[in-house]
Amino acid sequence: MYLRERDAAVRRMLERTPPPVPPDLYPEVLRRGTRILRRRTAARRLLWITLLAAALAFAIWASLTRPWAEPPSTTTPPISGW
């Protein structure tokens, strides 16, 4: 019963003519959409630049400190054969 009423209500809504669109709506939507796209592009570029800067900083740090190399011994080996 409920589905039939809902289907009938949807059919009535679809049979109506759509409301008129204001004439100044398109330029406003175009302006906002362009602004959103510019912001997304700028944010994406900033993210990539930050990522590349972090990768470059890590590469420089790793080449200078060589964290994979064994650290020098802090004690001297015993002297033998004197």
Side-chain angles (χ1 to χ4, degrees):
M1 180 79 174
Y2 175 72
L3 290 176
R4 288 183 198 160
E5 292 173 10
R6 199 165 96 186
D7 286 346
V10 169
R11 289 181 199 278
R12 283 192 304 271
M13 286 172 49
L14 291 174
E15 288 172 355
R16 283 190 259 170
T17 58
V21 177
D24 60 338
L25 183 65
Y26 178 73
E28 179 67 21
V29 168
L30 187 65
R31 184 181 64 79
R32 286 184 182 183
T34 304
R35 184 174 61 201
I36 289 171
L37 285 177
R38 272 189 279 124
R39 284 183 180 174
R40 283 183 184 170
T41 303
R44 194 176 302 122
R45 283 183 184 161
L46 180 64
L47 181 67
W48 277 109
I49 289 171
T50 305
L51 182 66
L52 290 173
L56 181 65
F58 175 76
I60 291 172
W61 170 81
S63 69
L64 292 176
T65 59
R66 297 180 184 262
W68 57 87
E70 187 176 323
S73 178
T74 56
T75 60
T76 57
I79 300 176
S80 60
W82 275 59

